Amino acid sequence: MFTRTHTCGELRASHIGQTVRLNGWVNSYRDHGNLIFIDLRDRYGVTQLVFDTDDAKNAGAADAGDKHAHTGMMGAADKLRNEDVISVEGTVRIRSGGENPKLDTGKVEVVVTSLVLLNKTENPPFLPDVIGTLPNEEVRLKYRYIDLRRPAMQKIVSTRSKALQSVRKYFVDANMFTEVETPVLYKSTPEGAREFLVPCRNVPGSFYALPQSPQLFKQILMVSGCDRYLQICRCFRDEDPRADRQAEFTQIDLEMSFVRREHIMTMMEGFVRHFWKDMLGYDVPPMQRMTYRNAMETYGIDRPDTRYGLHITDISEIAAKTDFKVFRDALAKGADRPRFNSKRGVVKAIRVPGGAEKLTRKITDGYSDLAKRFGAGGVATAKYIADPAGAKFDTGCAKFLEPIKAELVAALGLEPGDTLLFIADTYSVATKAIGELRQQVARDTNVVPKPGAEGGPWNFLWVIDFPMFEKNKDTGKWIAMHHPFTAPRDDQRDLFVSASVDDDDTIESIVSAGYDIVLNGSEIAGGSVRIHDRDVQSKVFQLLGLTPEQAKEKFSFLLEALSFGAPPHAGIAFGFDRLIMHICGTDNIRDVIAFPKTQVGADLMTRAPSAATPAQLKDLFIASTWTPEPSKA
RNA sequence: GGGGCGAUAGCUCAAUUGGUUAGAGCACCGGCCUGUCACGCCGGAGGUUGCGGGUUCGAGCCCCGUUCGCCUCGCCA
């Protein structure tokens, strides 16, 4: 009936003379009266169809008809509009009007002898064949099925599909991983991200949670002897989204038994190499490694973008030698703390080459606002300029810098024409603020290369040696930096076991066996060697402030499993959506998800979430406490 | 929860510092056109300027509130 013989991207000069049937959407039409061109589109491409009164008759169309009388096939072709779905039969021939080099099928056209209108469309809100600006995202999301017809979106969808195959090829086919599915209805463990809850009808008043990750199941699988586990799984975190983050996202979840850090890093680096080769033909060079401390010191962030310099320098010792109140006050904070302690007062600086010209007063004024958003007091600035009497500091806090000029020039490699930016505060505040500042300066001075997909460098990086714990600013309690099942680095075990609950400085200094993969400033994977020793796991819970009773209530199954022959194991999870973003060169995660959600978790197409009926709630023993706020107007 | 930006025809955008009947391109409807490929030509229809208040002789424009979308801080073990 309408079984096609070819796709719309398939026909070439070699098909000339053949009778073919094509199905697809009307991409555009050019109506010349008794000659009508239709560009027919499917996901493989576009083919030009011709409806010609004379030709159709010559080609043997049963009912060629006449457009002006609105009869037969010509009359029907005259009524075709963009996005109508049609099936046509016809003959392939060379284009007599010259080829169209923009189309893969541009040498040929199909003279239609039979037209079937499979489905007439309403006037669509926008056309997949976008000329100029895309409609705004609200419209694209509401009519997602139209947006997905766009070739650019079709390409992403198929790239994502190919990527899934590539993942399985490496792990399952080549490296003996077993793909295992774990529950989506899961036990609530209210550490970490906020969870989505699912009421349980059979046990009134109780709830499942949707998993933030299958972390504990995959560890239990290791105890089960699974040995090498893979799951391409959906995870749920009820937190506000960002450009590269959705509440519902996909992870490539992995775990291996009988390995330590080096083994799993080698395996995963092999995957990255395979994946980029498979997807883009790119050979990933051996990946650099950077410690967390080095990343924080030099880049002010745990996922450094190493495609550009603008390195951060700690000038605390030099800054102590000048009488600048901003520096002095900062350095007085936690002066008795160890060198890298989060509470120690520090002064950090960035040298911006050529900044004296590139960074206007307006731009640098904005930097203080940026620093304030991250808790710092502001940004001190000074230009270093050429002068007949020798290069000198100018503007900003210049006069305070003259006494330490020689040392600053040596420490920072200053050249005339540079601008210096300073942030002075506690280690944790100054580090974060100047790390954000560095990225803003990079954007302002145009030193960020195009993304790798557009020909820029792919800078892969392992970040290792994370702290085990960090302090929660609000509660003052220790929390696991990665998660509570992360093991201390092998050489830290004695220090860890000896740490007492109230010894903050020691707890802060313990290094974990965690590792992240960072690509161009974006975290694409994170994992760790896991704790496989029940006593070590109990100690972690203790340091996190869980009583033995609480630990048992929440994690008894894990502690029991660890005591019944748990092998050493380690794992990692890749953010699959982010991998696809990099491969496709987009900075919007919604572009790589077929049916994404908005900032408030809404699906604009289906209108989810929606209210439940009283009957549904009654079945679930749920009552809502929500009431609309009375209007203030 | 906080900050920023935005919303005008189906879509993308205009609309002089608050002043006539809110315009254009594309899409749509009608007509013409036999070699186009962003086809062309003639004509037409299409608006609660997101919504609700307010200021004003007069509001798309100013003020307040609100809804929705995007970016972001917090958050994301």
Side-chain angles (χ1 to χ4, degrees):
Chain A
M1 216 169 94
F2 46 82
T3 306
R4 65 186 169 201
T5 60
H6 298 78
T7 71
C8 293
E10 199 174 345
L11 298 177
R12 298 290 184 273
S14 59
H15 295 94
I16 286 170
Q18 293 186 21
T19 297
V20 299
R21 178 168 286 281
L22 302 179
N23 299 327
W25 287 259
V26 173
N27 193 59
S28 65
Y29 62 92
R30 295 175 292 280
D31 183 349
H32 294 240
N34 277 314
L35 175 69
I36 299 170
F37 297 101
I38 300 280
D39 286 348
L40 190 67
R41 184 196 72 241
D42 62 17
R43 78 178 169 100
Y44 307 95
V46 170
T47 298
Q48 174 166 288
L49 311 178
V50 191
F51 294 83
D52 180 316
T53 317
D54 301 332
D55 282 335
K57 284 171 183 158
N58 293 340
D63 183 21
D66 177 358
K67 186 203 151 175
H68 298 289
H70 298 292
T71 60
M73 188 178 76
M74 284 306 289
D78 174 44
K79 292 194 177 66
L80 290 176
R81 292 297 178 266
N82 296 325
E83 300 310 306
D84 283 341
V85 185
I86 62 175
S87 179
V88 295
E89 191 173 74
T91 311
V92 183
R93 75 176 179 195
I94 192 124
R95 289 190 183 210
S96 58
E99 70 180 81
N100 182 348
K102 292 178 194 164
L103 295 180
D104 292 338
T105 61
K107 282 189 164 60
V108 299
E109 62 190 10
V110 173
V111 192
V112 178
T113 52
S114 165
L115 165 68
V116 180
L117 178 61
L118 297 175
N119 212 336
K120 181 77 188 164
T121 182
E122 296 288 315
N123 186 21
F126 63 100
L127 296 176
D129 188 27
V130 174
I131 295 159
T133 322
L134 277 176
N136 74 46
E137 205 161 354
E138 209 169 338
V139 176
R140 290 175 55 201
L141 291 175
K142 180 172 179 187
Y143 302 97
R144 190 61 164 174
Y145 38 87
I146 295 175
D147 195 39
L148 288 171
R149 287 180 198 163
R150 293 167 45 228
M153 295 301 283
Q154 298 264 325
K155 179 147 192 262
I156 292 174
V157 170
S158 78
T159 296
R160 191 168 170 130
S161 169
K162 186 185 170 194
L164 290 169
Q165 307 315 310
S166 185
V167 168
R168 294 190 166 107
K169 211 185 310 172
Y170 180 83
F171 288 113
V172 179
D173 298 350
N175 284 293
M176 306 286 286
F177 280 71
T178 304
E179 198 165 355
V180 184
E181 292 159 282
T182 56
V184 169
L185 296 177
Y186 179 50
K187 182 181 171 67
S188 173
T189 54
E191 282 77 31
R194 193 179 298 117
E195 297 174 316
F196 289 95
L197 284 179
V198 181
C200 174
R201 175 180 54 83
N202 283 323
V203 187
S206 64
F207 297 82
Y208 300 102
L210 303 181
Q212 302 172 37
S213 86
Q215 180 61 35
L216 292 175
F217 283 108
K218 68 176 173 175
Q219 289 190 236
I220 300 285
L221 282 168
M222 294 303 104
V223 182
S224 315
C226 174
D227 193 67
R228 291 184 172 192
Y229 149 92
L230 160 71
Q231 185 176 196
I232 298 168
C233 63
R234 201 61 60 85
C235 303
F236 306 87
R237 295 178 189 172
D238 187 8
E239 303 289 352
D240 290 349
R242 290 288 183 273
D244 63 350
R245 208 170 84 190
Q246 286 257 306
E248 179 178 353
F249 63 100
T250 304
Q251 262 183 202
I252 305 170
D253 199 43
L254 297 148
E255 199 78 9
M256 300 174 76
S257 289
F258 308 113
V259 291
R260 300 315 279 166
R261 194 171 77 173
E262 288 306 316
H263 306 116
I264 193 158
M265 287 173 74
T266 301
M267 175 66 76
M268 296 309 153
E269 192 165 330
F271 164 67
V272 170
R273 195 158 290 118
H274 157 87
F275 190 69
W276 252 259
K277 182 72 175 176
D278 204 19
M279 299 301 293
L280 295 172
Y282 176 78
D283 291 304
V284 175
M287 280 160 56
Q288 301 293 305
R289 292 187 182 193
M290 188 183 295
T291 64
Y292 171 84
R293 175 176 293 176
N294 191 1
M296 296 305 284
E297 281 290 291
T298 309
Y299 300 93
I301 194 166
D302 61 0
R303 45 181 172 86
D305 190 340
T306 58
R307 290 175 298 170
Y308 53 88
L310 295 174
H311 293 161
I312 296 163
T313 306
D314 188 319
I315 58 149
S316 300
E317 288 177 27
I318 302 171
K321 297 175 188 170
T322 185
D323 195 30
F324 184 26
K325 188 168 187 302
V326 172
F327 290 175
R328 211 177 48 214
D329 289 353
L331 291 171
K333 296 180 183 175
D336 56 334
R337 294 284 171 169
R339 176 77 175 80
F340 295 108
N341 190 284
S342 60
K343 289 178 181 165
R344 183 185 178 86
V346 297
V347 179
K348 292 183 172 271
I350 295 176
R351 164 186 166 252
V352 186
E357 291 228 347
K358 291 179 186 167
L359 298 180
T360 63
R361 176 65 191 269
K362 191 179 172 188
I363 292 176
T364 54
D365 282 352
Y367 289 164
S368 277
D369 294 332
L370 182 135
K372 283 172 190 164
R373 285 209 298 277
F374 294 93
V379 177
T381 67
K383 293 176 180 178
Y384 186 64
I385 59 170
D387 188 87
K392 62 172 187 182
F393 289 112
D394 187 38
T395 72
C397 60
K399 67 176 175 178
F400 299 106
L401 302 181
E402 283 301 324
I404 52 173
K405 182 164 87 176
E407 287 180 84
L408 284 178
V409 169
L412 293 157
L414 278 180
E415 303 270 353
D418 294 348
T419 289
L420 274 182
L421 304 171
F422 302 94
I423 292 182
D425 211 299
T426 58
Y427 182 91
S428 62
V429 171
T431 298
K432 168 135 202 192
I434 204 160
E436 295 295 329
L437 178 62
R438 170 179 176 267
Q439 296 177 71
Q440 186 58 46
V441 170
R443 288 188 288 268
D444 290 342
T445 55
N446 281 317
V447 296
V448 187
K450 294 274 186 196
E454 294 178 33
W458 297 107
N459 279 21
F460 291 92
L461 185 69
W462 281 108
V463 178
I464 56 172
D465 295 349
F466 291 85
M468 284 271 288
F469 302 101
E470 60 185 339
K471 252 289 158 70
N472 180 304
K473 288 184 291 291
D474 299 327
T475 63
K477 291 170 83 174
W478 286 108
I479 54 176
M481 182 171 245
H482 184 52
H483 57 50
F485 320 109
T486 298
R489 199 174 63 190
D490 286 348
D491 64 358
Q492 302 279 297
R493 198 188 149 114
D494 291 346
L495 178 66
F496 170 76
V497 171
S498 71
S500 70
V501 179
D502 51 6
D503 183 2
D504 279 5
D505 287 347
T506 299
I507 293 174
E508 182 178 35
S509 74
I510 298 167
V511 174
S512 83
Y515 34 77
D516 282 358
I517 300 176
V518 173
L519 169 57
N520 296 350
S522 145
E523 183 192 325
I524 59 169
S528 60
V529 176
R530 322 299 188 189
I531 297 165
H532 66 284
D533 179 309
R534 178 180 177 138
D535 294 337
V536 173
Q537 186 65 68
S538 293
K539 176 76 186 255
V540 170
F541 290 148
Q542 184 193 356
L543 293 181
L544 295 177
L546 291 182
T547 64
E549 293 71 31
Q550 288 170 323
K552 194 177 171 193
E553 150 67 20
K554 287 175 180 169
F555 299 115
S556 62
F557 65 99
L558 174 68
L559 293 171
E560 280 179 21
L562 293 182
S563 60
F564 284 114
H569 57 288
I572 196 167
F574 287 82
F576 185 65
D577 309 279
R578 285 192 192 162
L579 291 182
I580 306 302
M581 288 172 67
H582 283 286
I583 295 290
C584 293
T586 176
D587 54 10
N588 177 348
I589 196 171
R590 293 178 300 281
D591 281 348
V592 300
I593 297 174
F595 300 103
K597 293 183 175 64
T598 70
Q599 290 275 323
V600 292
D603 177 339
L604 297 181
M605 185 181 73
T606 64
R607 282 288 157 195
S610 54
T613 65
Q616 286 176 308
L617 293 177
K618 189 174 174 228
D619 272 358
L620 296 166
F621 306 96
I622 298 282
S624 174
T625 60
W626 182 84
T627 47
E629 281 189 39
S631 174
K632 289 168 195 162

